[in-house]
Amino acid sequence: MRRTDDLVVVGAGPYGLSIAAHAAAAGLGVRVLGRPMASWRDHMPEGMYLKSEPWSSNLSAPGGRYTLADYCATRGLAAEHGSPLPIGTFSAYGLWFARHAGLPGVEEATVTEVTPQGDGFLVRTAEGPPLLARTVALAVGVMPFVHYPEPLAGLPPGHYSHSSGHRDLSRFAGQEVAVLGAGQAALETAALLAEAGARPSLVARRSRLNWNTVPQPLERPLARALREPHSGLGTGWRSWVWAELPWAVRRLPAPTRERIAATALGPAGAWWLRDRFERRVPALMGHRITRAVAAGGGRTRLGLTTAAGESLVLDTAHVIAATGFTPRLDRLELLDARLRDALATVGDSGTPELSAGFESSWPGLFFAGLLTAPSFGPSMRFVHGAGFTAGRLVKGVRKRLGARGPLPGSSGAARPVRAAAGRPETYRR
């Protein structure tokens, strides 16, 4: 009899590992597919630091165990408020969490397709036979949603890249590199390029750069703490609401949620990066790219325009787009196209409308991470959101399954109930 899993988690980053830890603790038969902490290990340059505070960067396990501070204590490292941690330390923490938080072994498989099958799903991978799952949680991270400015589309591939495509920036030593963007990824990439011997310049549409301020002490007078509370997403009441009340954000009208997801906590650089950047990187602010053409010798010419209509041509050896990610279902190619097209979405965002338990309109299909920001707010763009997501999503899975005991052939303790009325009609391929 072919094994049927209660839950297959696609993705092994902070969200996927946290969901798996809660699912295993709940007695569900769970499998985790993906390279653990792949985005952090493979898609961030050496020398980067964690922007968020260590105490707000924990993966989630039942009981609040296996925190970043716990990991650092085992290695004699400090995880202190106001002291940024290297990305490498955070990546190692995620691997440690996967070994110690009661998860099943993470299977480094590349998921190629998730398709409805009966009352569950068929999950195909590039490495082995397909899996059967009663429920699926897609915690795919950010890499399927890499965004490039449209003018770069006509360039040959070797002329441009995304900031998430570089582990080692030393290859650009001695070269001019135009870095596009105004957020932390752009600013830190540019600073690291300069420190690696490259000659970077920043190009941004914004008229000025925003920098986060030095964090206030955790221990403060009561009046000051009430006026500007700390939260996992920063200081102040607005950040506190996004960090602590995602359930309340979900109850807002769809257009309001879309606007919040698109505008809250906009691009800004970390306070500890400002001096490193400003000393070494020239910035062209208020410039929009209108065209990009390949020039002789493998170089690239960028046509730039200001809001006042002034034009400038920038000649460079390479262009790095640190222009973020655009989460949309139509970019999630591993999800069966007809299933994807059947999902209810949040307004015009192209992201799934979700229940309080992170379940989509297709029963048994759950989402976590960036795609859920228009449903639950901006905390879903950060590691901090994994704590809110994991427990609620697993409760949603258990509700869908109807936890009453194992079925023959089950790998865990949950038993599915019949599909709810109104379930989209399944089909044969």
Side-chain angles (χ1 to χ4, degrees), residues 384-411:
H384 181 72
F388 175 85
T389 300
R392 287 164 176 78
L393 189 148
V394 170
K395 287 180 181 178
V397 169
R398 295 185 70 190
K399 181 179 180 181
R400 172 56 53 192
L401 295 174
R404 295 292 185 271
L407 287 179
S410 172
S411 59

Side-chain angles (χ1 to χ4, degrees), residues 254 257 328-330 335 337-355 358-363 365 367 371-372 374-375 422 424:
R257 286 184 276 133
R328 291 186 62 88
L329 283 167
D330 57 14
L335 193 58
R338 285 183 287 178
L339 186 162
R340 189 173 61 222
D341 292 344
L343 294 176
T345 57
V346 180
D348 297 325
S349 70
T351 61
E353 185 72 79
L354 302 172
S355 73
F358 288 83
E359 188 174 19
S360 71
S361 60
W362 192 289
L365 181 63
F367 288 87
L371 275 169
T372 72
S375 288

